[in-house]
Amino acid sequence: MKKSVLILAGAAMLLSSCGSVPITGRKQLNLVSDSEVLQSSLSQYKNYMSSATISGEQAQSEQVTRVGKKLAAATEAYLKATGLESEISNFQWEFNLVKNDEINAFCMPGGKIVVYEGLMKLVSSDDELAVVLGHEVAHAVAKHSKERMSQQILAQYGAQAVSAITKGKSYSTQQIASKVYGLGANYGVMLPYSRKHESEADKMGLVLMSLAGYNPRTALTFWQKMSSASSASVPEFMSDHPSDANRIAAIEKDLPAIESEYATYINAGKQSTATKTTTTTKKKATTTKKKATKKSKRRK
């Protein structure tokens, strides 16, 4: 009898602890609070940044910040427009480029995003960088780390003990966080998300970069480039990430609907880029003309 009551209580707790992911609407398990997740992740992030070396590549650092801020602004505008304005307080966006030759980037809860210099060697445009940063911003918006922590708690203690665990979540959160945020996780991924989370972040990232005015179709060629640069092929069933082929196929499948729904934003971004290019070209032409005029006057 006592066991049945515990099971029912646990089931009720699980049902009441379900949330949904913005954009995709997928239901997810939430056994820890936003404040607990943000507090533990901020501590881990500060520890990492205290030992990391900020990149001296000024142009690339500015690019990471520029594209990141544009994506963050588009994300917050989306949250406001969809009645999720209260979620904005959970984010204190930060975009850093660090000195590391690995091809990698990661996101901590609250919008703390780090890009490695090694990844930037494959980035040839703002659109391509938006593919990476859009994916990382999506992890934060979808609260994948919070869901991962909840899954770890459930797996570790079992449904019968859920009600007991949630009374003293702080200790449990700290214990689980060390696994979820652990540095040096499998295959160099700082946050070992599941393949489901990675695929969801891919799709959400396409939407967010579209809202920011970037071309989502760039994702196809960029992930193909990433695949070619990969030095090791890890079987999908052993990895936290989907295989390159499956990832590219899924993106190709999602693109038509996303391009159709967010065409206005994408086209606005293209026009903005074209305007900037034209302006830059005119400035260069004017500068060249002025220099030529000065030389002509000197000759006279």
Side-chain angles (χ1 to χ4, degrees):
M1 179 72 177
K2 197 171 188 179
K3 186 177 180 181
S4 299
V5 171
L6 280 171
I7 292 174
L8 288 172
M13 179 69 72
L14 292 177
L15 288 172
S16 63
S17 300
C18 285
S20 59
V21 179
I23 297 176
T24 67
R26 179 180 64 83
K27 297 295 181 182
Q28 62 180 175
L29 180 66
N30 292 322
L31 294 178
V32 291
S33 68
D34 289 333
S35 60
E36 286 178 303
V37 174
L38 293 173
Q39 183 178 2
S40 61
S41 67
L42 183 59
S43 175
Q44 293 283 343
Y45 176 72
K46 285 181 177 178
N47 287 338
Y48 170 81
M49 291 304 297
S50 66
S51 60
T53 302
I54 297 295
S55 173
E57 298 291 336
Q58 186 175 351
Q60 290 184 344
S61 294
E62 289 175 353
Q63 184 181 21
V64 168
T65 301
R66 179 178 67 251
V67 176
K69 285 184 175 180
K70 194 172 178 181
L71 281 162
T75 298
E76 292 188 0
Y78 170 83
L79 292 173
K80 286 180 181 178
T82 54
L84 297 171
E85 189 170 357
S86 60
E87 292 292 327
I88 296 175
S89 62
N90 290 322
F91 302 108
Q92 291 182 347
W93 302 102
E94 194 171 317
F95 302 90
N96 283 304
L97 179 66
V98 300
K99 193 174 181 60
N100 192 311
D101 290 333
E102 290 182 30
I103 300 174
N104 203 5
F106 68 86
C107 172
M108 297 292 277
K112 307 300 184 185
I113 294 173
V114 172
V115 179
Y116 290 178
E117 282 184 346
L119 179 67
M120 295 302 289
K121 293 176 183 177
L122 298 179
V123 172
S124 58
S125 67
D126 282 7
D127 286 297
E128 287 191 343
L129 182 56
V131 174
V132 177
L133 295 184
H135 175 94
E136 299 304 335
V137 168
H139 276 312
V141 173
K143 299 182 181 180
H144 284 155
S145 56
K146 180 178 178 180
E147 183 178 10
R148 182 78 170 183
M149 289 171 72
S150 299
Q151 291 168 343
Q152 291 277 357
I153 289 174
L154 189 60
Q156 186 169 334
Y157 296 100
Q160 292 182 40
V162 169
S163 58
I165 299 163
T166 51
K167 288 181 181 178
K169 285 187 295 185
S170 294
Y171 176 76
S172 299
T173 300
Q174 292 300 322
Q175 296 299 305
I176 298 299
S178 64
K179 296 180 182 179
V180 175
Y181 304 143
L183 305 185
N186 289 341
Y187 312 113
V189 182
M190 192 155 290
L191 293 177
Y193 297 117
S194 67
R195 287 193 295 277
K196 180 188 291 184
H197 288 167
E198 289 299 322
S199 296
E200 186 170 57
D202 280 345
K203 184 174 184 176
M204 291 176 65
L206 293 176
V207 171
L208 294 176
M209 68 181 291
S210 298
L211 289 171
Y214 295 111
N215 182 6
R217 189 155 289 275
T218 310
L220 284 176
T221 52
F222 180 76
W223 286 118
Q224 287 166 355
K225 192 190 298 185
M226 285 281 284
S227 178
S228 299
S230 177
S231 59
S233 179
V234 180
E236 185 170 3
F237 71 90
M238 291 176 60
S239 173
D240 292 311
H241 287 63
S243 68
D244 294 330
N246 286 346
R247 162 173 265 159
I248 292 168
I251 289 173
E252 198 161 19
K253 181 181 177 182
D254 291 332
L255 272 173
I258 291 172
E259 287 178 315
S260 174
E261 186 170 355
Y262 301 101
T264 302
Y265 298 95
I266 298 168
N267 290 331
K270 288 178 181 177
Q271 289 171 6
S272 176
T273 302
T275 301
K276 287 180 181 178
T277 302
T278 302
T279 302
T280 302
T281 303
K282 285 181 178 179
K283 284 182 179 179
K284 287 181 178 179
T286 302
T287 302
T288 303
K289 188 175 180 180
K290 285 180 179 179
K291 287 181 178 179
T293 303
K294 286 181 181 180
K295 287 182 179 179
S296 178
K297 286 181 179 179
R298 286 173 185 171
R299 286 173 184 172
K300 289 180 181 179

